[in-house]
C-alpha cells in the first residue's frame, strides 16, 4: 500500500500539462465575470436580464453535456473529445468577440459551454498516472482551478480596460487554442483507456447517486454557491460604480485584495475542520457568513470601503466552501462511486451558475441592486437550512487497490474487509481486478488489510 517512488517524468508532465489546460480554460470562462455587468450594457439590445443570461449561459450547455462527453471519451478516446471541446470553446469565444449585440455574446457563451471537457480531462489524468500518485496529480488540477479563478478576477478587468470586451473574448479564444498545443506537446500518450470509477461516471452508479440524501445536499450546495456567485457578480460590479464611485476600469484591485485576503483567511479554517474533525460546523458557519455578506451588501454597502470589506468577507466564505464541497463529496460518496458523484456534482455546479446568472439579471431588472442581494440572501438561508440537517461526514480516504488472483477468488472478501478496523466501505470490481475502499487512516489496521488484498505472502510466511 505504500509505494514511496516519486512521480515519474511522464506523470509530472501529465499532471502539469492538464493542470495548465484547466487553468487556461477556467481563465477564459471566468475573465468575463467581473466585467460583463459594466461593459456589457454598451452592447446593442443589452438589458440587465440579458446580461445575466450571458453571464450564466455557458452553464446550461456545460450542465447538459458534461456527463455525456465524459462517457463519449470512454468510447472514442480522451484526446478527440478534449481537442473537439477546446475547438468548440474557442469558436464560442470568436462568436462573442465579433458580436455587436448582447444576443451574439449570449450565443457565444452557450457555444463556449458546449466545450464540456472537464470529465474527459480528469479521465485522461487517471489513464496516465499510477494509483499512488493520482491524488498528487489531481491536486495540481485543483490548485490550477483556484489560481485561475483568482487570476481571472484581476486579469479580466485589466484586459477589458486595455482592449475592450471584444479583446477579452479574443484572448479567451487564444487560450483555448494554446490548450490544444499543450495537450499535443506536453501530455504523454495514454497506453489504454481505463474504466476507473474514482474519476469517471459509471452508468450503473447513477441511480444510487441521485438517490443519496447526503450527496443531494452537497449537490444543492454547489449549485447554490455558484448561483450566488453569478448573481452577486451582476450586482457587485454595478454597486462599485454606483455606490462606491469606483470607475469600472479600476475594479481589478478590489478583486485582487478580496481574493488574496479571502484565500489566506480561509486556510486556518480548512486545517481546523480537518484536524479537529469539525467539517460540518465550519461548513455551516461559512454558509452563514455568506448569508451575512448578502444582507450586508443590501443594507450597509453604501460606500467603497464598505463594499471592499464585504467583498473580502464574501470571498473568504466562498473560497472555504469551494474548497470544502469536493472534499465532502469524496468523503460521503460510497466506495467506487466517487467519479459518478463528482460528475453529478459538476453538473449541479454548472446548472447553478446558469440559473444564478439568469435570475440575478432578472432580479436586477425588476428591483435593482437590492433585489439581487435579497434574492441571494434568501437562497443562502435555504441552503443553510438544508446544510444543518446533514450528518457529520465520515473522515475517510478513498483508495483503489489492485487485487491478487487469490483475493478475487474469495467470495466473502468484502465482508472480511468490512470487519477490518478502520475500513468504512468496500467494493470489489472483478473486471478491473481492483478494490475500491474507504478507510479512516487514524484507525486502520493496515497489516490485516494487506493480508486480505494479497494473501499469498501471508501463506508463504506461515
Amino acid at each position: 500500500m505504500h509505494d514511496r517512488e516519486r512521480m515519474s517524468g511522464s506523470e509530472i508532465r501529465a499532471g502539469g500539462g492538464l493542470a495548465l489546460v484547466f487553468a487556461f480554460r477556467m481563465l477564459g470562462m471566468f475573465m468575463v465575470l467581473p466585467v460583463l455587468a459594466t461593459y456589457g450594457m454598451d452592447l446593442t439590445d443589452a438589458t440587465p436580464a440579458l446580461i445575466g443570461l450571458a453571464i450564466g449561459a455557458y452553464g446550461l450547455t456545460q450542465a447538459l453535456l458534461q456527463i455525456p462527453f465524459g462517457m463519449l471519451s470512454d468510447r472514442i478516446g480522451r484526446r478527440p473529445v478534449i481537442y473537439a471541446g477546446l475547438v468548440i470553446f474557442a469558436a464560442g469565444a470568436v462568436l462573442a468577440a465579433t458580436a455587436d449585440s448582447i444576443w451574439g455574446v449570449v450565443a457565444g457563451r452557450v457555444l463556449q459551454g458546449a466545450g464540456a471537457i472537464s470529465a474527459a480531462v480528469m479521465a485522461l489524468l487517471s489513464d496516465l498516472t499510477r494509483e499512488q500518485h493520482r491524488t498528487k496529480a489531481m491536486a495540481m488540477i485543483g490548485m490550477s482551478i483556484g489560481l485561475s479563478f483568482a487570476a481571472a478576477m484581476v486579469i479580466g478587468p485589466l484586459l477589458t480596460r486595455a482592449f475592450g470586451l471584444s479583446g477579452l473574448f479574443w484572448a479567451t479564444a487564444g487560450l483555448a487554442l494554446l490548450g490544444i498545443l499543450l495537450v499535443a506537446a506536453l501530455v504523454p500518450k495514454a497506453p489504454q483507456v481505463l474504466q476507473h470509477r474514482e474519476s469517471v461516471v459509471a452508468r450503473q452508479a447513477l441511480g444510487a447517486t441521485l438517490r443519496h440524501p447526503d450527496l443531494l445536499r452537497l449537490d444543492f450546495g454547489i449549485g447554490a454557491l455558484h448561483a450566488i456567485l453569478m448573481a452577486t457578480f451582476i450586482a457587485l460590479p454595478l454597486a462599485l460604480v454606483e455606490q462606491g464611485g469606483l470607475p469600472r476600469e479600476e475594479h481589478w484591485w478590489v478583486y485582487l485584495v478580496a481574493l488574496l485576503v479571502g484565500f489566506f483567511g480561509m486556510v486556518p479554517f480548512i486545517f481546523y475542520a480537518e484536524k479537529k474533525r469539525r467539517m460540518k460546523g465550519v461548513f455551516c458557519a461559512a454558509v452563514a457568513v455568506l448569508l451575512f455578506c448578502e444582507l450586508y451588501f443590501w443594507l450597509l454597502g453604501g460606500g467603497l470601503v464598505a463594499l471592499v470589506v464585504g467583498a473580502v468577507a464574501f470571498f473568504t466564505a466562498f473560497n472555504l466552501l469551494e474548497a470544502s464541497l469536493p472534499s465532502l463529496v469524496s468523503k460521503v460518496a460510497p466506495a467506487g462511486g466517487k467519479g459518478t458523484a463528482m460528475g453529478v456534482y459538476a453538473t449541479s455546479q454548472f446548472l447553478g451558475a446558469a440559473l444564478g446568472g439568469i435570475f440575478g439579471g432578472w432580479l436586477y431588472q425588476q428591483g435593482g441592486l437590492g433585489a439581487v442581494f435579497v434574492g441571494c440572501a434568501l437562497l443562502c438561508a435555504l441552503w443553510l437550512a438544508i446544510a444543518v440537517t446533514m450528518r457529520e461526514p465520515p473522515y475517510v480516504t478513498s483508495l483503489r487497490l489492485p487485487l491478487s488472483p487469490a483475493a478475487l477468488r474469495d467470495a466473502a472478501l468484502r465482508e472480511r474487509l468490512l470487519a477490518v478496523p478502520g475500513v468504512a466501505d468496500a467494493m470489489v470490481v472483478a473486471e478491473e481486478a481492483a478494490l475500491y475502499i474507504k478507510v479512516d487512516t487514524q484507525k486502520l489496521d493496515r497489516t490485516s488489510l494487506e493480508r486480505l488484498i494479497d494473501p499469498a505472502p501471508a501463506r508463504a510466511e506461515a
Side-chain angles (χ1 to χ4, degrees):
M1 290 179 64
H2 292 287
D3 188 336
R4 298 184 180 275
E5 295 179 25
R6 295 182 178 179
M7 293 179 72
S8 67
S10 63
E11 288 174 320
I12 292 172
R13 290 198 305 276
L18 293 175
L20 285 173
V21 171
F22 252 107
F24 290 159
R25 184 169 168 276
M26 294 296 287
L27 268 175
M29 194 69 77
F30 284 112
M31 282 194 300
V32 71
L33 186 56
V35 300
L36 197 51
T38 50
Y39 286 85
M41 290 304 294
D42 297 337
L43 295 166
T44 304
D45 297 329
T47 65
L50 291 176
I51 293 291
L53 177 60
I55 287 176
Y58 83 94
L60 291 172
T61 38
Q62 284 278 321
L64 288 172
L65 298 175
Q66 194 68 37
I67 291 177
F69 275 20
M71 291 180 173
L72 180 63
S73 77
D74 293 339
R75 299 185 61 181
I76 69 172
R78 317 297 188 199
R79 287 174 181 268
V81 171
I82 292 170
Y83 290 146
L86 289 170
V87 169
I88 291 169
F89 185 87
V94 170
L95 178 58
T98 55
D100 57 7
S101 76
I102 189 62
W103 294 107
V105 173
V106 169
R109 293 283 283 172
V110 169
L111 188 56
Q112 279 187 301
I117 61 168
S118 297
V121 171
M122 296 302 288
L124 178 58
L125 187 68
S126 293
D127 296 343
L128 292 169
T129 53
R130 291 168 290 170
E131 300 292 338
Q132 63 268 31
H133 298 307
R134 190 161 294 128
T135 300
K136 300 174 191 174
M138 289 185 175
M140 293 182 189
I141 288 181
M143 287 188 290
S144 75
I145 292 172
L147 290 173
S148 60
F149 175 78
M153 294 297 101
V154 178
I155 295 173
L158 291 174
L159 273 177
T160 310
R161 180 175 70 176
F163 304 107
L165 201 56
S166 176
L168 179 69
F169 282 115
W170 281 115
T172 297
L175 288 172
L177 297 177
L178 184 57
I180 294 174
L181 295 178
L182 284 171
V183 174
L186 290 183
V187 180
K189 297 288 192 298
Q192 60 181 330
V193 172
L194 298 179
Q195 297 300 315
H196 193 301
R197 292 170 180 247
E198 291 295 276
S199 55
V200 301
V201 173
R203 290 183 180 87
Q204 58 269 41
L206 266 174
T209 300
L210 294 172
R211 294 190 300 269
H212 195 297
D214 290 330
L215 288 176
L216 289 175
R217 288 184 179 92
L218 297 173
D219 293 336
F220 178 86
I222 190 60
L225 181 63
H226 279 257
I228 291 162
L229 176 70
M230 294 298 163
T232 298
F233 266 91
I234 291 170
L236 184 58
L238 294 170
L240 288 170
V241 173
E242 296 173 12
Q243 299 177 355
L246 186 68
R248 62 187 185 180
E249 294 81 10
E250 303 297 327
H251 287 193
W252 64 270
W253 69 261
V254 175
Y255 304 131
L256 178 62
V257 170
L259 284 161
L260 284 176
V261 177
F263 173 78
F264 289 107
M266 69 95 177
V267 170
F269 296 103
I270 290 286
F271 283 122
Y272 172 81
E274 288 283 359
K275 186 174 182 180
K276 300 296 184 181
R277 301 198 165 191
R278 296 287 186 271
M279 286 197 74
K280 178 184 175 181
V282 171
F283 181 82
C284 291
V287 178
V289 170
L290 213 60
L291 168 59
F292 169 80
C293 288
E294 297 297 338
L295 294 174
Y296 174 88
F297 285 136
W298 175 42
L299 297 172
L300 301 173
L304 181 58
V305 173
L307 289 168
V308 172
V309 170
V312 168
F314 177 90
F315 276 110
T316 301
F318 175 84
N319 289 338
L320 178 55
L321 291 164
E322 185 82 348
S324 299
L325 278 161
S327 176
L328 287 167
V329 171
S330 179
K331 292 179 187 327
V332 169
K338 180 181 173 182
T340 305
M342 290 304 298
V344 176
Y345 170 90
T347 298
S348 302
Q349 173 183 330
F350 291 123
L351 185 59
L355 295 176
I358 292 167
F359 285 108
W362 180 81
L363 285 171
Y364 179 76
Q365 187 161 309
Q366 299 303 311
L369 297 174
V372 179
F373 293 134
V374 170
C376 289
L378 290 173
L379 182 54
C380 285
L382 176 60
W383 182 13
L384 184 59
I386 292 172
V388 296
T389 67
M390 75 178 186
R391 296 171 293 180
E392 190 72 39
Y395 290 86
V396 293
T397 300
S398 298
L399 301 172
R400 181 184 184 273
L401 304 171
L403 286 176
S404 68
L408 282 170
R409 289 193 295 270
D410 184 354
L413 178 60
R414 183 174 185 273
E415 288 70 23
R416 297 178 194 276
L417 289 165
L418 293 175
V420 174
V423 174
D425 193 12
M427 179 182 186
V428 177
V429 183
E431 58 268 28
E432 298 180 30
L435 168 69
Y436 292 91
I437 191 169
K438 300 177 80 74
V439 299
D440 185 333
T441 55
Q442 294 185 9
K443 302 176 181 177
L444 180 64
D445 183 344
R446 296 179 184 274
T447 302
S448 297
L449 178 59
E450 288 172 356
R451 285 175 178 166
L452 284 172
I453 64 175
D454 190 4
R459 290 199 302 271
E461 289 174 6

